[in-house]
Amino acid sequence: MFLIIETGSQVEIMLVSSLKKKLAGAEGDFLLHTDVEIARGGITAIAGPSGSGKTTFLRMLSGLTTPDEGLLEVDGEVWFRKEPGKKTVVNLKPQQRKVGVVFQGYALFPHMSVLGNMLYASRDMVLAEKLLNMTGLQQLKHVKPGNLSGGQKQRVALSRALMQQPRLLLLDEPLSALDEAMKSVLQDELINVNRELGVTILIVTHDSSEMYKLCDRVLLFDTGRIITDTSPRELFVERATTQKFAFKGEILEILAVDAVSIAVVAIGNNLVEVVIDSDEKETLQAGDIVIVGTKAFNPTVRKIAAKDFDFSRL
Amino acid sequence: MNRIRATVTGIDRRESLHRVMLTGGDHEFTLITLELGEEYGIGALVEIHFKSAHVSLAKNISGQVSIANRLEATIVSLREGELLAEIVLESSAGRFFALLTAEAVNRMQLVAGDRVTALLKASDLYLSKAGEL
């Protein structure tokens, strides 16, 4: 099906039409079959269970994996095209595609400085300086990756990907190895990069707060298909129950205190105690993964003084 | 969480705020919530959930009370701690629990078999589709 060949739209940057790839899954082979249009300038989350085809989708976009058939067009330029049963017409090499890729592993050259790693992608010194300033790496530009923290390394990987002035920036769980505070700082930087450079971003993530904070759209993959295409707000807020305040956590312990039970739950870096009803106690035990929630009427909101809170940049 | 099966009988909406009217057993319920999913239309079979700690009990209640929901119930049993007490109650809408201070139980001299009125604020009630949550 190649019904849409002209993509004169001003807002659309990427068109994926019947892009297919047979994949081997844990429960047998399945077909990755994607049809999607991505608007220019947005940040789109790619979510779904592992083995659902998210990473292969990004690899097909970047040219690291060759699809079996279909059409991929970015900014009016065909990157891949093969009709069923016919020869491949177009298949640009990764370096011919204006695409930046950042994976969870940093994949930096250990013997090169931060600046060296960036200039390897492009010799554009002006852009390198701009990116060093944007990502707070200016002071570290002569340092080698071995001496950098995880967050700093990921900033270098991001800056290097941006050195190629990509039309698309593909991020595969780029922040999942970082702690919550570092993650939050890098999320802000990604938003900044998206706004200032206007680069269109696709990001694989499992983190619902990350999707909510960063993304204007979520594509939910399941066994090779995009089963849901919606906004994070629709996905997490409006489709949930009437509980407004909900966090995923793990029960560490259930304590009996007086006539009540108290569940100690780990949510992110925090431990919270929740008084639970006795019928809930019967169905819950340590190790259970749970949602801790309450209605919008119950949480209190208090402004924090600077002295209460010091999440200085790490 | 306490659960009471109920049917949605009415919805009032002001932007994202909703008042939902329900019937469960012999009782009418009013619930206030922010965004309400489309699946909670009039006639939908739902569960009203509420924490035991959000239940107040009254005996021989008279005068006016602002609390929207009243449930006539009988005390089935009491489990008293030093500070708190858990009361099991039976009503036409089903069985539920209340968590009170032990001091209140003593002051009201609550015992099994007492007829009481359970009071539930509209904003303390949760809604879920029957079987969920």
Side-chain angles (χ1 to χ4, degrees):
Chain A
M1 292 261 291
F2 296 99
L3 298 174
I4 313 163
I5 292 173
E6 273 296 320
T7 58
S9 160
Q10 288 289 310
V11 291
E12 177 188 301
I13 184 160
M14 184 174 81
L15 170 71
V16 173
S17 177
S18 287
L19 202 63
K20 295 181 186 175
K21 176 84 185 173
K22 198 170 159 192
L23 296 178
E27 289 159 25
D29 291 355
F30 66 97
L31 187 66
L32 179 63
H33 182 167
T34 48
D35 277 281
V36 69
E37 288 169 31
I38 301 288
R40 184 184 306 279
I43 305 184
T44 301
I46 310 288
S50 43
S52 58
K54 306 181 299 291
T55 295
T56 307
F57 180 64
L58 288 200
R59 290 179 61 90
M60 292 197 306
L61 301 183
S62 62
L64 296 169
T65 293
T66 305
D68 296 337
E69 61 183 67
L71 172 68
L72 169 63
E73 196 178 297
V74 177
D75 234 359
E77 182 183 36
V78 175
W79 285 7
F80 178 85
R81 181 169 185 177
K82 180 182 182 298
E83 292 183 35
K86 295 189 180 169
K87 279 192 168 177
T88 303
V89 181
V90 182
N91 186 13
L92 297 189
K93 293 190 178 112
Q95 57 272 28
Q96 295 174 302
R97 303 183 181 199
K98 282 260 179 188
V99 61
V101 183
V102 179
F103 294 107
Q104 187 183 327
Y106 314 113
L108 300 174
F109 294 114
H111 60 288
M112 291 185 190
S113 67
V114 167
L115 185 61
N117 267 280
M118 291 170 66
L119 293 177
Y120 183 84
S122 158
R123 305 298 304 173
D124 187 339
M125 197 63 208
V126 176
L127 180 60
E129 284 293 324
K130 181 177 174 181
L131 290 171
L132 285 169
N133 288 329
M134 267 181 87
T135 54
L137 290 170
Q138 187 57 249
Q139 304 298 321
L140 299 169
K141 64 182 173 184
H142 300 303
V143 176
K144 292 199 174 134
N147 295 322
L148 298 176
S149 71
Q152 288 163 342
K153 283 183 201 166
Q154 204 55 308
R155 284 193 181 118
V156 179
L158 177 65
S159 302
R160 191 179 58 182
L162 290 168
M163 284 300 290
Q164 297 151 26
Q165 294 187 274
R167 290 171 184 163
L168 279 184
L169 182 62
L170 308 178
L171 310 172
D172 194 351
E173 298 193 55
L175 311 182
S176 60
L178 306 177
D179 66 51
E180 294 300 322
M182 195 69 241
K183 215 182 247 190
S184 179
V185 170
L186 267 124
Q187 284 164 350
D188 290 337
E189 286 176 8
L190 279 177
I191 292 172
N192 201 16
V193 159
N194 171 252
R195 286 193 188 143
E196 291 217 3
L197 305 180
V199 60
T200 306
I201 300 178
L202 273 73
I203 177 170
V204 172
T205 174
H206 295 285
D207 181 337
S208 51
S209 63
E210 189 162 287
M211 289 181 215
Y212 198 89
K213 182 172 168 185
L214 290 182
C215 303
D216 44 55
R217 187 175 175 191
V218 179
L219 302 176
L220 205 58
F221 277 65
D222 193 16
T223 48
R225 290 272 185 170
I226 297 170
I227 54 161
T228 302
D229 178 357
T230 186
S231 69
R233 182 173 173 80
E234 160 79 14
L235 190 63
F236 299 114
V237 181
E238 291 168 18
R239 287 198 187 181
T241 63
T242 58
Q243 292 205 8
K244 305 307 293 181
F245 200 79
F247 300 99
K248 195 162 118 184
E250 179 181 351
I251 296 184
L252 300 182
E253 192 176 14
I254 297 178
L255 306 167
V257 179
D258 202 54
V260 295
S261 298
I262 297 173
V264 180
V265 186
I267 301 174
N269 285 338
N270 298 307
L271 289 187
V272 296
E273 292 183 313
V274 183
V275 174
I276 56 175
D277 288 353
S278 48
D279 64 326
E280 289 171 320
K281 186 187 159 220
E282 301 307 314
T283 63
L284 298 172
Q285 59 183 21
D288 283 351
I289 302 297
V290 295
I291 302 280
V292 175
T294 182
K295 282 182 70 171
F297 286 90
N298 289 327
T300 58
V301 176
R302 179 175 67 90
K303 197 165 175 172
I304 47 174
K307 64 179 169 52
D308 288 346
F309 194 82
D310 183 21
F311 264 138
S312 53
R313 288 169 64 119
L314 300 173
Chain B
M1 286 280 247
N2 292 303
R3 293 147 194 259
I4 286 177
R5 285 188 165 269
T7 305
V8 177
T9 56
I11 297 169
D12 286 334
R13 179 179 176 186
R14 297 289 177 276
E15 292 168 41
S16 68
L17 191 65
H18 296 77
R19 179 173 65 175
V20 184
M21 276 70 76
L22 306 111
T23 304
D26 296 338
H27 292 90
E28 304 294 318
F29 293 88
T30 299
L31 177 153
I32 293 277
T33 184
L34 294 191
E35 275 107 5
L36 187 71
E38 284 172 15
E39 64 272 35
Y40 298 97
I42 289 174
L45 193 63
V46 298
E47 280 181 357
I48 299 169
H49 294 196
F50 51 96
K51 293 278 281 188
S52 303
H54 287 159
V55 180
S56 303
L57 296 185
K59 219 166 153 181
N60 308 322
I61 188 170
S62 64
Q64 297 190 41
V65 179
S66 67
I67 294 173
N69 299 291
R70 296 177 177 209
L71 228 69
E72 300 307 324
T74 305
I75 295 179
V76 177
S77 61
L78 299 92
R79 189 165 69 89
E80 289 184 70
E82 297 290 323
L83 302 179
L84 292 169
E86 188 181 66
I87 323 285
V88 183
L89 297 126
E90 189 73 50
S91 77
S92 72
R95 182 167 286 218
F96 63 98
F97 295 81
L99 190 64
L100 307 184
T101 57
E103 184 274 325
V105 171
N106 291 333
R107 175 165 41 83
M108 294 169 72
Q109 298 179 348
L110 296 177
V111 291
D114 278 359
R115 292 288 293 169
V116 293
T117 305
L119 302 170
L120 294 163
K121 280 173 72 77
S123 56
D124 286 341
L125 301 184
Y126 296 70
L127 206 52
S128 107
K129 285 297 280 181
E132 280 178 16
L133 207 120

